[in-house]
Amino acid sequence: MLEVEYKSLLTEDIYNKIKKYYKWDWIKHQINNYYFDSSGELGKKHIMVRVREKDGSCTVQVKAHKNPGEALQICEESEFPIDCVPEKISAEDGEKYTGIKTGELNLAGNLDTLRHSLMWCEGVEICLDKSKYLDRCDYEIEVEYTGSLPPELIDELNSLGVKFEEKSVGKYTRFIRRLMEILRGN
């Protein structure tokens, strides 16, 4: 499945303004458990592997980023059911999920998200996230869409303080950067 979305980090004030502005279709809690390979092949190829816990079930999700770092994110995404969150994913399963030889995948930790979501119109979903990981809390908006993105939605979000002009840093990258800072003693 090809996923196309705009992302932007938010201040807590803008997050709260957006949260009050819309009537949300649903609010859910999800946990992303992130994995890495010791060879670094996943990072070199801009591939992220996670096990997402949501609604009482677990799913392995693999995202291959086509244009990493841009506000407009284009990813090839695939999912596989799994029974639980493993400490390690075997080399065989890692290759099955990613299509590359990674060796064993190790659990790096998790990011806990409270997600507000609404269908703004057919084919356009707004997701408002508050995420906690390691010793951090941050806020993000994602606009996922198929077809074309209505310019009036961008105007509406701009009026609420959202800017999609800057390069985007996704949850996985923010998590890994913070983990590396902690491991270096920062």
Side-chain angles (χ1 to χ4, degrees), residues 81-139:
I82 194 169
D83 293 332
C84 63
V85 178
E87 285 294 316
K88 295 179 184 294
I89 295 174
S90 72
E92 297 79 25
D93 284 344
E95 185 174 356
K96 178 179 82 173
Y97 298 145
T98 64
I100 60 174
K101 291 186 184 292
T102 60
E104 194 171 70
L105 303 179
N106 298 292
L107 179 63
N110 63 52
L111 182 142
D112 191 312
T113 299
L114 180 64
R115 172 166 278 189
H116 293 69
S117 182
L118 71 92
M119 290 304 293
W120 192 82
C121 68
E122 186 177 340
V124 179
E125 181 181 21
I126 298 174
C127 298
L128 185 67
D129 295 340
K130 177 180 181 179
S131 296
K132 295 180 181 180
Y133 55 100
L134 305 170
D135 58 354
R136 295 282 161 92
C137 178
D138 62 31
Y139 308 91

Side-chain angles (χ1 to χ4, degrees), residues 8-175:
S8 181
L9 285 173
L10 306 172
T11 65
E12 185 176 9
D13 288 342
I14 292 172
Y15 168 87
N16 286 325
K17 184 190 273 189
I18 294 167
K19 191 168 82 168
K20 290 176 187 169
Y21 184 82
Y22 291 107
K23 182 180 184 297
W24 300 98
D25 295 332
W26 53 265
I27 301 169
K28 293 193 179 193
H29 177 250
Q30 62 191 31
I31 299 173
N32 291 333
N33 299 277
Y34 294 117
Y35 292 81
F36 68 95
D37 62 318
S38 57
S39 68
E41 281 303 304
L42 293 175
K44 290 176 198 168
K45 296 183 185 299
H46 304 288
I47 296 174
M48 181 272 307
V49 176
R50 68 182 174 208
V51 173
R52 177 172 279 173
E53 298 175 78
K54 184 169 91 173
D55 299 330
S57 65
C58 296
T59 307
V60 174
Q61 296 179 323
V62 178
K63 284 189 173 189
H65 294 269
K66 305 295 184 190
N67 61 337
E70 298 299 319
L72 174 65
Q73 294 281 301
I74 300 172
C75 301
E76 188 68 41
E77 187 173 308
S78 51
E79 296 186 344
F80 307 87
I82 194 169
D83 293 332
C84 63
V85 178
E87 285 294 316
K88 295 179 184 294
I89 295 174
S90 72
E92 297 79 25
D93 284 344
E95 185 174 356
K96 178 179 82 173
Y97 298 145
T98 64
I100 60 174
K101 291 186 184 292
T102 60
E104 194 171 70
L105 303 179
N106 298 292
L107 179 63
N110 63 52
L111 182 142
D112 191 312
T113 299
L114 180 64
R115 172 166 278 189
H116 293 69
S117 182
L118 71 92
M119 290 304 293
W120 192 82
C121 68
E122 186 177 340
V124 179
E125 181 181 21
I126 298 174
C127 298
L128 185 67
D129 295 340
K130 177 180 181 179
S131 296
K132 295 180 181 180
Y133 55 100
L134 305 170
D135 58 354
R136 295 282 161 92
C137 178
D138 62 31
Y139 308 91
E140 178 180 38
I141 190 165
E142 300 178 2
V143 179
E144 299 180 15
Y145 65 96
T146 56
S148 60
L149 188 61
E152 56 268 27
L153 173 58
I154 296 297
D155 292 343
E156 185 175 283
L157 291 172
N158 284 324
S159 74
L160 294 168
V162 177
K163 303 293 180 221
F164 292 111
E165 300 156 358
E166 297 178 22
K167 295 201 176 271
S168 174
V169 178
K171 290 177 181 71
Y172 175 74
T173 301
R174 297 192 312 267
F175 173 86

